[in-house]
Amino acid sequence: MALLAYLKSLFILQLLMGFVFVVSGLIINFIQLCTCVLWPINRQLYRRINCRLSYSLWSQLVMMLEWWSGTECTLYTDQATVDKFGKEHVIIILNHNFEIDFLCGWTMCERYGVLGSSKVLAKHELLKVPLIGWTWYFLEIVFCKRKWEEDRETVFAGLDRLKDYPEYMWFLLYCEGTRFTEKKHQISMQVAESKGLPKLKYHLLPRTKGFTTTMQCLKGTVTAVYDVTLNFKDNQIPTLLDIVNGKKYKADLRVKRFSVEDIPDDEQECANWLHKLYQEKDALQEQYNKEGKFPGPTIIPPRRPWTLLNFLFWATVLLSPLIKFACGVVVSGSPLLIIGFITFLIIASVAIRRLIGVTEVKRTGSSYGNQAKKQK
């Protein structure tokens, strides 16, 4: 086990895995670009193809979590809820406290067959991120600038297009709008006090506009809302770099299903429902901190081999010529070729590190409560 942990920490192996992800992502993006000719001819065929292509990319990240790091994911829910997973269009409400909360969500999506068709209401800045933003663009992800005056038409149009989506989709909403930090929490609770709303201890005040708009636009398409609360055993705070280094965690996800029929149609009442939900989530978090677990029965969905097989396919296709080329460079003895190859490795490592930086709490998130950043 010690040897395996050492191998996982080797930079060269991590770099090779990053190389596979980046190059395969670029190939996938190019294929996605080629599929655009299908959009005016057969939109549903375009969507089905892009669901498979995006799965091929995202599943490599899921593989990192469940096979490379060996992180375990336990569901706290009932069997009746699990039986509906992957068989209906739903809205997912997830707390936004960790760098890898999206990765745990994707893992559940993969295990229930909806990874390729999973959606999210994403901040517009991510559209510019190579691979991630580009893949999401072809997947019809809804982007917003978090300025309702500018977002109104874009969000309504984007959600309206998803009404006839051919694959079952899980539409993720981070209703808090940004990752939880102590500074943002202080500002958020000042807003709650000014609006006469109950204060939350473990969450930011939910931004209701995105939720009410999504419910309004996808009415008749989504049949349920899944409230998901994520925590890690022993109060651990994992990072994507930890996962890359092969560190194992134990994730607990509490899932509660609400039928859309039980959620008010009126915008204000729907917003009030969301505020009440977050008060319940806060109490649930308090209970988890005291007992180290969520209430209710547990289910551990088994990991599937497809993420590992998908990665092995791309690794075989891409690493064989790379290793052959590297051997040729060394054998040639040419200083120019060797320097050029080393430069390529440095550039590649920097690029991969910057992609990982997209998930880091201290480097990302909105300007929530930061007036200087907003003015800039």
Side-chain angles (χ1 to χ4, degrees):
M1 294 299 293
L3 176 61
L4 184 59
Y6 170 73
L7 291 175
K8 290 180 179 179
S9 68
L10 290 178
F11 174 72
I12 185 63
L13 287 182
Q14 297 172 4
L15 183 61
L16 290 175
M17 292 178 71
F19 171 83
V20 171
F21 176 74
V22 171
V23 177
S24 65
L26 293 174
I27 294 173
I28 289 170
N29 286 161
F30 176 74
I31 297 174
Q32 288 180 306
L33 180 63
C34 294
T35 64
C36 288
V37 298
L38 293 174
W39 180 263
I41 304 171
N42 191 329
R43 183 179 300 186
Q44 302 297 51
L45 177 60
Y46 164 90
R47 287 169 163 171
R48 293 184 186 280
I49 292 174
N50 275 277
C51 282
R52 274 75 186 164
L53 291 171
S54 64
Y55 174 89
S56 188
L57 184 60
W58 302 145
S59 65
Q60 294 181 52
L61 297 178
V62 173
M63 185 280 299
M64 291 281 292
L65 183 77
E66 56 184 15
W67 290 97
W68 183 256
S69 81
T71 293
E72 300 175 0
C73 295
T74 301
L75 293 177
Y76 287 76
T77 190
D78 56 90
Q79 189 60 48
T81 297
V82 172
D83 289 341
K84 293 181 180 294
F85 286 178
K87 300 175 183 177
E88 58 181 349
H89 296 298
V90 300
I91 294 173
I92 306 288
I93 297 176
L94 178 63
N95 57 312
H96 205 7
N97 298 70
F98 307 99
E99 289 186 10
I100 66 166
D101 46 29
F102 75 96
L103 200 49
C104 293
W106 275 354
T107 297
M108 289 299 104
C109 288
E110 198 287 323
R111 294 184 186 187
Y112 292 101
V114 292
L115 176 59
S117 57
S118 61
K119 310 294 181 188
V120 63
L121 185 62
K123 58 184 180 181
H124 192 267
E125 293 91 332
L126 291 176
L127 180 59
K128 304 174 184 177
V129 178
L131 305 184
I132 298 173
W134 301 346
T135 303
W136 274 354
Y137 174 80
F138 293 113
L139 202 57
E140 300 174 78
I141 294 299
V142 182
F143 294 94
C144 64
K145 298 178 181 178
R146 290 181 286 201
K147 296 179 181 178
W148 185 240
E149 295 75 17
E150 299 180 26
D151 289 332
R152 181 189 297 272
E153 292 186 9
T154 303
V155 171
F156 270 98
L159 292 172
D160 189 64
R161 280 197 301 269
L162 297 178
K163 287 183 176 180
D164 63 342
Y165 209 78
E167 307 271 340
Y168 287 123
M169 62 178 176
W170 286 7
F171 194 101
L172 172 62
L173 290 177
Y174 288 117
C175 292
E176 294 165 88
T178 184
R179 280 197 181 96
F180 182 98
T181 66
E182 287 300 329
K183 181 178 179 180
K184 293 174 183 177
H185 181 253
Q186 292 174 8
I187 300 295
S188 180
M189 291 307 97
Q190 291 175 9
V191 174
E193 186 176 4
S194 68
K195 293 184 176 182
L197 295 169
K199 292 186 178 181
L200 303 174
K201 189 175 180 180
Y202 303 103
H203 300 84
L204 303 180
L205 191 69
R207 299 179 177 183
T208 60
K209 180 61 71 174
F211 176 70
T212 57
T213 300
T214 304
M215 287 290 293
Q216 176 185 347
C217 291
L218 295 183
K219 184 178 181 180
T221 300
V222 299
T223 56
V225 172
Y226 295 170
D227 172 44
V228 183
T229 304
L230 169 67
N231 271 299
F232 290 89
K233 292 291 188 184
D234 303 320
N235 296 317
Q236 292 184 309
I237 304 178
T239 66
L240 188 55
L241 274 177
D242 291 334
I243 301 301
V244 171
N245 286 322
K247 187 174 180 179
K248 181 178 180 178
Y249 291 96
K250 293 183 178 181
D252 289 336
L253 297 98
R254 190 262 192 177
V255 183
K256 185 175 182 180
R257 182 184 184 275
F258 297 90
S259 172
V260 294
E261 297 176 355
D262 298 328
I263 301 174
D265 292 331
D266 179 77
E267 182 176 355
Q268 185 56 54
E269 292 182 5
C270 186
N272 293 337
W273 182 90
L274 184 64
H275 282 300
K276 183 180 179 181
L277 177 67
Y278 267 80
Q279 293 165 29
E280 295 173 356
K281 288 170 75 73
D282 223 48
L284 192 66
Q285 180 65 58
E286 182 77 27
Q287 182 177 355
Y288 186 90
N289 290 347
K290 291 179 180 179
E291 302 179 6
K293 63 179 182 179
F294 292 117
T298 61
I299 296 174
I300 303 178
R303 60 185 180 183
R304 307 194 304 174
W306 312 123
T307 57
L308 181 60
L309 293 175
N310 175 74
F311 176 78
L312 292 176
F313 164 76
W314 283 112
T316 302
V317 170
L318 298 176
L319 291 184
S320 298
L322 177 67
I323 294 173
K324 183 178 180 180
F325 175 75
C327 292
V329 169
V330 174
V331 171
S332 70
S334 169
L336 186 61
L337 283 177
I338 294 174
I339 293 173
F341 188 68
I342 293 175
T343 302
F344 165 76
L345 293 178
I346 294 174
I347 294 174
S349 62
V350 171
I352 293 168
R353 182 63 185 83
R354 293 198 65 172
L355 276 176
I356 293 175
V358 172
T359 70
E360 293 181 347
V361 172
K362 64 183 180 180
R363 296 179 59 182
T364 60
S366 72
S367 55
Y368 194 105
N370 189 340
Q371 295 302 323
K373 185 176 179 180
K374 286 182 179 180
Q375 290 174 4
K376 182 179 178 180

